[in-house]
Amino acid sequence: MGPRLAFPWLAALILLCLVGNTLVAAGPVVEQEKVTYRLKWLINASTAGDVFALDQGFLSRQGLEVAVKAGGPERDAVRELELGYAQFGVASADQVIRALAKGASVVVLAQLFQVNPLQWIYRADDFSLSRIQDLAGRTVGITYGGNDETIMRALLATVGMNEHQVRLASVRYDYTPFFRNQVPIWPVYRNTQGIFLSDKLAAEGERVAFFDPFEHGVRFVANSIVTSKKMIDLHPQTVGRFTRALLAGWQAAMSPANENAVIRAVTKYDRDTSEAVMRRQLAATRQMIQPDPDIPIGHIDITAWRQTEQIMIQQRLIPGPVNVIGRLEPQQAP
Amino acid sequence: MLHRRVFQFFIVYLLGIGLLFGIKLALNLSDYVIPGPTGVWHTGQAEFSRYMGDVLDTFAVAVIGQVLSILMALGVGVAGRRATWFGSFIKVAAYNVQAYPIVAIAPILFILLGDGFLTRLFIAAMICYFPLLLSVIGIMSEPVVDIEHFYRVTGRMRWQLEVKIRAFENLHKLTTVISGSATLAMAGTIVAEFIAANAGIGYSIRIALYQSDLSKILVALFIIGITLSLYQGILELLGAGLKKAWAAG
């Protein structure tokens, strides 16, 4: 082999050694599996565990490259699962039950909120709502078609009241009717809007209180992690890894010791909420994600799911039973 | 003209819904994503009369809004037709104001005017006003030289006559623009209802969206479409009748 021929071989050998060295230094290369996770709403304190799991590498350590996508009023995770745009999502129980009633193949992997954050805010100095009957004759805000309508009707039904005994007022995202006291009982997400509205009213010297359906026996399940039946059948390992990593993320995010890191992670997406407000939102979220330390994060409350299905049947939101219990497939806790 | 409009609408609607059913079949999607024909039919039977009432409510607001916007557009268009400082000011103002999307201003209107009839009417009128105004200004600024020249040299030209000549010579264009603006007025009212009102078909569509019920939305679209087609057909008939009567007179 002449010097002309030997040179390219030598160069290739050196290059190979360099690349090999770099690979050894980087450790074993694990190919990341790409999945999409569609949230139910915009990123805020209610999604702290989701963004924290992504930010702190809980998901990537499980070999998952997850695109966490914010939700919104026109986003529907269950539809995206079926269309293949997402592999995992967050959906409320009523969404899951409606989808099952129409033949969708959706499976619940974990229940994020043990207490539904949907509550009604009112001015504590004006009146008190200690019983459901205290709503009689008052104007109560509901979003027609939303799950607050379903919950309010269920509440009224539990004490034999009907919508003629309260004045139901249609509400949207504009709080003006509440600020003007035209609709004094207003539906809010207790851990996010509830904090913001409390602050607004406190600035005017007004105290607020919350009417919580959970305290009056209505356990209507809120957000849960869902996937498709096809996903769980074809990729059970991925489903297991995803759920475990996500719940581990939630577990860590709900620890007060990690509060600063959680706020940093959420602030990357939610720049409009001040740090002080977010701290209080997180504190309220903790109470709803894990109200009882003995119950693990992600626990599926079967009684609550059964009650949610019953409420929807009674209100004719679905034509008949869908056996939602059969679609609850809790994954192994982290 | 009327039956042609309705027939054309049926073709478009059936093509659209056929495409949806085709996608459902090809991708084996559940009724939650795309409802089946029987689901849509049953929803239609259950909701038709209620949705028809909602559409008529929306339609009434849209028609009043459209009439108001036609009057405003004609008034401002006639004033802005001349190549004077005032005329050019009107044109610049019209072009600039059009740059603001009304849906961005809508929430402010709802806060100021409430979520009732007035706000819906205002938004409907504003959405179809600007395109109408631009067309009217375009038509009214364009002299019909052959005819106007005679009146000018004989000293008999008055502004009313000028407007009449230009309107008559462009009646077909005006009819088309007015007929087209019906769609804008209806869309404006639906958008207003969707954002914040508590009545009308836009509000019902919003509720159906909350309930993830695409069948209801398809039924609503059918009724909106058929109502608009009939209305546009009637407007075109009126335009043709007006031209005939004007020419005869």
Side-chain angles (χ1 to χ4, degrees):
Chain A
M1 191 184 286
R4 268 189 176 183
L5 267 176
F7 179 73
W9 283 106
L10 194 66
L13 192 69
I14 291 168
L15 195 67
L16 203 66
C17 286
L18 281 173
V19 171
N21 245 0
T22 316
L23 286 177
V24 169
V29 177
V30 181
E31 197 180 331
Q32 296 274 299
E33 191 177 352
K34 287 183 181 177
V35 293
T36 299
Y37 178 43
R38 170 67 73 185
L39 301 175
K40 182 154 195 306
W41 196 246
L42 304 174
I43 292 174
N44 58 22
S46 283
T47 61
D50 302 316
V51 288
F52 195 65
L54 182 72
D55 192 65
Q56 297 292 308
F58 285 88
L59 294 157
S60 59
R61 282 197 292 277
Q62 289 288 334
L64 297 167
E65 188 183 328
V66 182
V68 177
K69 294 190 173 175
E74 278 79 40
R75 302 281 181 198
D76 186 329
V78 179
R79 279 206 179 101
E80 295 199 8
L81 293 177
E82 197 167 329
L83 290 165
Y85 298 142
Q87 286 69 46
F88 299 97
V90 176
S92 56
D94 62 319
Q95 251 181 315
V96 170
I97 292 169
R98 274 182 221 274
L100 288 173
K102 290 184 177 173
S105 198
V106 60
V107 173
V108 177
L109 303 171
Q111 181 182 325
L112 290 174
F113 280 86
Q114 300 302 315
V115 176
N116 194 328
L118 187 78
Q119 299 177 12
W120 275 262
I121 190 172
Y122 62 95
R123 289 168 175 83
D125 296 327
D126 292 356
F127 51 86
S128 163
L129 297 176
S130 52
R131 302 172 311 147
I132 300 170
Q133 288 88 336
D134 294 334
L135 293 168
R138 300 194 187 281
T139 304
V140 180
I142 56 166
T143 317
Y144 279 100
N147 56 17
D148 53 329
E149 181 192 2
T150 312
I151 292 171
M152 182 47 70
R153 288 188 194 281
L155 276 165
L156 297 175
T158 56
V159 290
M161 285 171 70
N162 61 42
E163 60 183 277
H164 302 297
Q165 290 167 278
V166 292
R167 283 189 294 273
L168 296 179
S170 174
V171 304
R172 301 281 176 93
Y173 304 118
D174 167 32
Y175 302 112
T176 313
F178 176 68
F179 291 138
R180 288 184 180 168
N181 224 350
Q182 292 159 336
V183 181
I185 306 169
W186 192 273
V188 288
Y189 285 102
R190 170 74 180 83
N191 59 329
T192 51
Q193 297 160 308
I195 304 290
F196 150 79
L197 284 175
S198 304
D199 287 352
K200 279 255 185 190
L201 267 70
E204 300 296 321
E206 292 185 294
R207 289 184 313 121
V208 299
F210 291 90
F211 180 70
D212 181 2
F214 187 84
E215 289 172 3
H216 301 278
V218 173
R219 295 163 73 184
F220 197 89
V221 179
N223 292 358
S224 294
I225 305 170
V226 294
T227 191
S228 63
K229 188 86 182 87
K230 191 175 160 190
M231 184 75 190
I232 214 164
D233 288 343
L234 296 178
H235 307 284
Q237 301 293 327
T238 310
V239 172
R241 278 186 291 143
F242 177 83
T243 316
R244 281 193 294 277
L246 199 69
L247 292 179
W250 268 100
Q251 184 86 52
M254 292 300 101
S255 163
N258 293 327
E259 190 171 277
N260 288 336
V262 173
I263 287 173
R264 275 197 301 275
V266 178
T267 309
K268 282 180 195 167
Y269 304 92
D270 177 9
R271 295 176 193 276
D272 297 327
T273 307
S274 71
E275 193 182 311
V277 170
M278 205 178 283
R279 274 185 206 284
R280 293 170 51 221
Q281 288 181 336
L282 268 177
T285 304
R286 269 184 219 119
Q287 298 301 314
M288 291 163 177
I289 296 288
Q290 197 172 24
D292 180 347
D294 293 337
I295 297 175
I297 285 178
H299 166 73
I300 295 181
D301 183 347
I302 290 175
T303 315
W305 276 91
R306 201 171 275 136
Q307 193 190 27
T308 306
E309 184 179 349
Q310 277 309 312
I311 289 170
M312 292 183 73
I313 294 169
Q314 281 157 10
Q315 294 188 22
R316 294 184 186 156
L317 296 172
I318 50 170
V322 295
N323 184 27
V324 72
I325 304 304
R327 291 309 186 108
L328 308 177
E329 297 197 20
Q331 302 296 295
Q332 195 190 338
Chain B
M1 206 174 274
L2 201 60
H3 71 275
R4 199 178 60 198
R5 275 270 181 193
V6 174
F7 183 65
Q8 284 167 345
F9 165 71
F10 269 108
I11 292 175
V12 171
Y13 186 81
L14 288 175
L15 279 175
I17 207 164
L19 181 71
L20 274 182
F21 292 151
I23 293 171
K24 176 184 169 66
L25 204 67
L27 301 178
N28 192 25
L29 299 173
S30 72
D31 287 352
Y32 185 68
V33 180
I34 297 175
T38 38
V40 177
W41 177 249
H42 288 143
T43 307
Q45 284 178 315
E47 305 293 344
F48 188 84
S49 51
R50 186 165 68 92
Y51 276 14
M52 192 69 214
D54 289 340
V55 169
L56 290 178
D57 183 338
T58 303
F59 180 66
V61 177
V63 170
I64 300 171
Q66 193 196 7
V67 170
L68 284 177
S69 61
I70 291 170
L71 294 176
M72 283 193 300
L74 283 176
V76 178
V78 166
R81 77 191 188 285
R82 319 227 50 176
T84 58
W85 183 89
F86 182 67
S88 111
F89 172 76
I90 295 265
K91 277 183 216 167
V92 169
Y95 283 116
N96 278 289
V97 176
Q98 195 196 211
Y100 297 101
I102 193 75
V103 284
I105 307 166
I108 302 168
L109 292 175
F110 278 104
I111 290 170
L112 296 176
L113 300 173
D115 53 10
F117 172 78
L118 263 184
T119 319
R120 288 196 288 156
L121 180 67
F122 189 76
I123 291 174
M126 293 313 279
I127 281 190
C128 71
Y129 166 67
F130 292 114
L132 262 175
L133 176 64
L134 296 179
S135 302
V136 171
I137 285 180
I139 288 168
M140 289 298 165
S141 320
E142 201 64 48
V144 185
V145 182
D146 296 350
I147 304 170
E148 288 179 20
H149 176 72
F150 169 73
Y151 291 102
R152 281 192 209 287
V153 294
T154 53
R156 287 159 63 195
M157 179 60 100
R158 291 172 298 125
W159 73 267
Q160 293 96 327
L161 185 61
E162 185 181 86
V163 167
K164 208 172 172 182
I165 291 167
R166 292 178 188 182
F168 180 77
E169 288 301 313
N170 293 287
L171 199 57
H172 181 67
K173 273 189 206 166
L174 276 175
T175 309
T176 309
V177 167
I178 288 171
S179 163
S181 73
T183 316
L184 288 175
M186 193 74 175
T189 315
I190 292 172
V191 166
E193 291 163 352
F194 193 85
I195 296 171
N198 291 331
I201 195 65
Y203 179 56
S204 296
I205 288 176
R206 189 175 178 94
I207 292 175
L209 271 178
Y210 273 131
Q211 297 170 337
S212 301
D213 197 335
L214 194 61
S215 300
K216 285 184 178 172
I217 294 167
L218 291 175
V219 172
L221 290 181
F222 176 77
I223 305 173
I224 292 168
I226 200 92
T227 310
L228 259 180
S229 300
L230 282 171
Y231 181 52
Q232 286 181 320
I234 290 167
L235 284 178
E236 282 168 5
L237 277 178
L238 282 175
L242 186 69
K243 184 157 190 174
K244 219 176 190 176
W246 212 346

